[in-house]
Amino acid sequence: MNIRLAQKKDIAQLIQMRWDFTIEHNEKAADHDLEEFQMECRQFLERAIESNSWVIWIAEINEQVVSHIYMELIHKVPRPGRITHPFVYMTNVYTIPAERNKGIGSNLLTVVNKWVESNEYEFVIVWPSDDSIEFYKRKGYISCNEAMTFTPSIKS
């Protein structure tokens, strides 16, 4: 297994994995236009891979991407008297079904956590599914209740 940062050559696999991940958790999503999704996702991934705001970690076996973790760096407003480090929003954590429960996701998250520590990011925030809470706890993540959200009403 090889753990590395995603590259443009991985985009087609990452698009398919995002589609599969979504369908796995919401079968109705399969009713959406695959080509339209592929185009939108490709544009996002091309920008993300070239940017300094997104980091996409992958685990691959025989050049097949089998797991990934997307990280967005959130830069904070500086505060007097302390060095301001970004924090990290972790999302789209996924391992293909055939490779689950083999330690791949755990190994990938270990590498990500070391990367976070070595870059002195302030913290990582992730919204785990109910099924993944224990996975994150085993890697040192703790629950917090401090965040609040606002969801604007969407007018059709």
Side-chain angles (χ1 to χ4, degrees):
M1 178 177 61
N2 183 34
I3 296 176
R4 62 175 174 79
L5 296 179
Q7 301 168 5
K8 284 188 176 186
K9 70 178 184 171
D10 304 311
I11 288 177
Q13 290 183 76
L14 293 171
I15 291 169
Q16 186 61 52
M17 290 174 76
R18 182 64 178 161
W19 180 265
D20 295 344
F21 171 81
T22 304
I23 301 305
E24 182 178 335
H25 297 284
N26 179 4
E27 291 179 9
K28 291 179 182 179
D31 296 338
H32 294 280
D33 185 318
L34 176 59
E35 283 186 36
E36 184 179 311
F37 167 74
Q38 288 172 327
M39 202 165 48
E40 178 184 11
C41 196
R42 177 172 299 283
Q43 289 173 354
F44 169 82
L45 288 167
E46 287 173 351
R47 285 191 309 267
I49 288 171
E50 291 177 359
S51 78
N52 292 326
S53 296
W54 282 94
V55 177
I56 303 169
W57 285 93
I58 65 166
E60 65 179 351
I61 298 173
N62 298 323
E63 298 185 13
Q64 178 190 3
V65 179
V66 296
S67 187
H68 55 61
I69 298 176
Y70 288 52
M71 315 288 287
E72 183 178 20
L73 302 179
I74 310 297
H75 296 273
K76 297 168 52 178
V77 177
R79 177 176 283 177
R82 67 184 249 201
I83 296 174
T84 306
H85 297 281
F87 69 92
V88 181
Y89 166 60
M90 180 190 302
T91 188
N92 200 28
V93 178
Y94 180 70
T95 300
I96 63 172
E99 298 298 333
R100 291 182 187 158
N101 300 312
K102 297 180 180 179
I104 294 170
S106 181
N107 289 337
L108 183 56
L109 188 56
T110 296
V111 169
V112 166
N113 286 348
K114 288 178 182 175
W115 170 79
V116 167
E117 289 175 355
S118 70
N119 283 285
E120 298 180 346
Y121 297 126
E122 191 168 336
F123 61 88
V124 176
I125 189 166
V126 62
W127 278 272
S129 67
D130 290 341
D131 294 338
S132 65
I133 291 172
E134 290 304 315
F135 168 75
Y136 291 106
K137 283 184 176 180
R138 287 192 302 270
K139 291 296 182 182
Y141 288 71
I142 58 170
S143 296
C144 73
N145 297 319
E146 297 178 17
M148 298 175 72
T149 63
F150 169 75
T151 304
S153 59
I154 299 173
K155 298 177 184 176
S156 302

